[in-house]
Amino acid sequence: MTNSRTAEVDAASMRIIDVYEENDWSSDTHLVQEFAALKTLLAQLTTAINRDKVESDLANKDELRDEKLRALYHLLNGLLYHPDEATKKAAQTVDKVFEKYGVAIAEENYSTESAMIESLLNDLAAEDLQTSIAALSGCAELIAALKTAQSDFETERVGYEQSKAQESTQQSAYKLKSEVLKQLNDRIIVYLRAMVQVDEPKYGELSRTLAVIINENNEVVKRRAKKAAEKPDSV
C-alpha cells in the first residue's frame, strides 16, 4: 500500500529480498534484473532513512542541552531572590557570568550555540567561581548535566555533518520509498503474477510468500488507518 510508512516499506522489502535469495533464479535473467534494481533502491532508501534518523537524533540532543541551559537559568534566577544573604550573593556571582550569554543562546543555530555553550562552560569552570557554585544547591549538578548534554550533541553532530555533506547528491527517503513501491508493485509483483500462470511449480512458492509479506504489511497499515479514523477529534 502506498500509504505504508517509509520504515515499513524498508523492512518488508528486506524480507522480500531475503526470500528471493533463498533460491537460485539465475535462469530467469529478467527476474534477476528486477531484483537487482530493487536491491539498489533499497540500499539507497536505507541510507536515506538513516540520514533522516541522524538529523532527528541531533535535534533531540539539541533540545536536551537547551533544557539543561534553561534549567540552569531558572535555578540562578530563583536564587537571586533567596532570603539567605550568602546564597543570594553566591547566585549573583554565578549569574553575572551566565548573563553574558543568556538563555537566548538556545535559539541560535547549532554552530553558534555550541560555541557559546563551550565558552559559558569554560567561564563557569573558573577556579574563583567554584565556592559560589558549591554554595548553590543543584548548581554544580546542572552545570555538569549541561556539559554532558553539550558533549553528546557534538558527538551526534559528526554524523549529522557527514550526512549533510552527502545530501546534495542523494534523494529523500520519501521519494525513494515511492520508487521502491513502484519497483515492487508495478514490476516484480506484476511479473510474478504472469509467470505463475506460465510455470506455477517454479514461481508459485516465491509468489505466495511475497504475497504473505505484503499482506502482513498492508494489515498493519489498515489497522493504523482504522485506529486513526476511530480516534475522536481533539476539542
Side-chain angles (χ1 to χ4, degrees), residues 46-98:
T46 301
T47 298
I49 289 173
N50 290 337
R51 188 168 67 248
D52 289 349
K53 183 178 183 300
V54 167
E55 186 162 355
S56 176
D57 289 346
L58 184 68
N60 291 335
K61 297 290 186 183
D62 178 51
E63 180 56 35
L64 182 60
R65 67 175 181 173
D66 290 350
E67 177 186 305
K68 303 306 179 186
L69 185 70
R70 294 188 188 102
L72 181 58
Y73 163 76
H74 288 301
L75 175 72
L76 293 174
N77 195 51
L79 291 175
L80 288 174
Y81 302 94
H82 199 282
D84 179 70
E85 193 61 32
T87 301
K88 181 192 289 187
K89 186 175 180 180
Q92 290 172 341
T93 300
V94 179
D95 186 62
K96 187 175 181 180
V97 175
F98 184 89

Side-chain angles (χ1 to χ4, degrees), residues 12 23 37 57 73 84 87 92 95 112 130 143 151 188 219 232 234:
N23 293 296
D57 289 346
Y73 163 76
D84 179 70
T87 301
Q92 290 172 341
D95 186 62
T112 300
Q130 301 316 301
I143 292 172
S151 177
I188 292 176
E219 284 303 313
S234 300

Side-chain angles (χ1 to χ4, degrees), residues 8-235:
E8 292 168 344
V9 173
D10 189 62
S13 298
M14 287 182 181
R15 291 173 62 197
I16 286 171
I17 288 173
D18 286 343
V19 171
Y20 162 78
E21 291 183 339
E22 287 178 0
N23 293 296
D24 180 10
W25 295 97
S26 58
S27 61
D28 187 334
T29 56
H30 181 74
L31 188 63
V32 170
Q33 290 173 353
E34 295 297 348
F35 266 92
L38 176 62
K39 284 190 277 188
T40 297
L41 288 170
L42 183 59
Q44 294 173 353
L45 176 61
T46 301
T47 298
I49 289 173
N50 290 337
R51 188 168 67 248
D52 289 349
K53 183 178 183 300
V54 167
E55 186 162 355
S56 176
D57 289 346
L58 184 68
N60 291 335
K61 297 290 186 183
D62 178 51
E63 180 56 35
L64 182 60
R65 67 175 181 173
D66 290 350
E67 177 186 305
K68 303 306 179 186
L69 185 70
R70 294 188 188 102
L72 181 58
Y73 163 76
H74 288 301
L75 175 72
L76 293 174
N77 195 51
L79 291 175
L80 288 174
Y81 302 94
H82 199 282
D84 179 70
E85 193 61 32
T87 301
K88 181 192 289 187
K89 186 175 180 180
Q92 290 172 341
T93 300
V94 179
D95 186 62
K96 187 175 181 180
V97 175
F98 184 89
E99 70 178 3
K100 290 193 302 180
Y101 303 90
V103 73
I105 64 175
E107 306 305 321
E108 297 286 351
N109 62 52
Y110 287 160
S111 296
T112 300
E113 183 177 353
S114 284
M116 296 184 80
I117 288 179
E118 292 287 358
S119 183
L120 169 62
L121 289 169
N122 185 61
D123 287 355
L124 290 173
E127 187 175 345
D128 59 357
L129 279 181
Q130 301 316 301
T131 300
S132 296
I133 290 173
L136 304 174
S137 178
C139 187
E141 290 79 3
L142 280 178
I143 292 172
L146 176 60
K147 184 176 182 179
T148 297
Q150 170 63 16
S151 177
D152 289 346
F153 174 85
E154 286 302 319
T155 298
E156 192 73 36
R157 191 180 179 189
V158 173
Y160 170 76
E161 295 294 352
Q162 291 173 342
S163 296
K164 290 293 287 183
Q166 300 171 359
E167 196 171 86
S168 61
T169 59
Q170 294 180 331
Q171 299 183 64
S172 69
Y174 180 80
K175 183 175 181 181
L176 285 164
K177 182 194 83 167
S178 298
E179 293 189 16
V180 168
L181 285 171
K182 184 182 292 185
Q183 181 65 21
L184 275 172
N185 293 334
D186 299 347
R187 299 190 66 83
I188 292 176
I189 300 305
V190 170
Y191 178 72
L192 284 175
R193 283 174 178 165
M195 294 309 296
V196 164
Q197 303 302 315
V198 176
D199 191 346
E200 201 284 336
K202 181 176 181 179
Y203 294 94
E205 183 178 355
L206 176 62
S207 182
R208 288 189 293 272
T209 305
L210 265 57
V212 169
I213 294 172
I214 291 171
N215 287 336
E216 286 177 352
N217 175 83
N218 290 346
E219 284 303 313
V220 171
V221 176
K222 290 175 184 177
R223 286 196 298 270
R224 183 169 60 246
K226 182 179 179 181
K227 186 176 180 180
E230 292 174 348
K231 185 177 180 181
D233 294 336
S234 300
V235 178

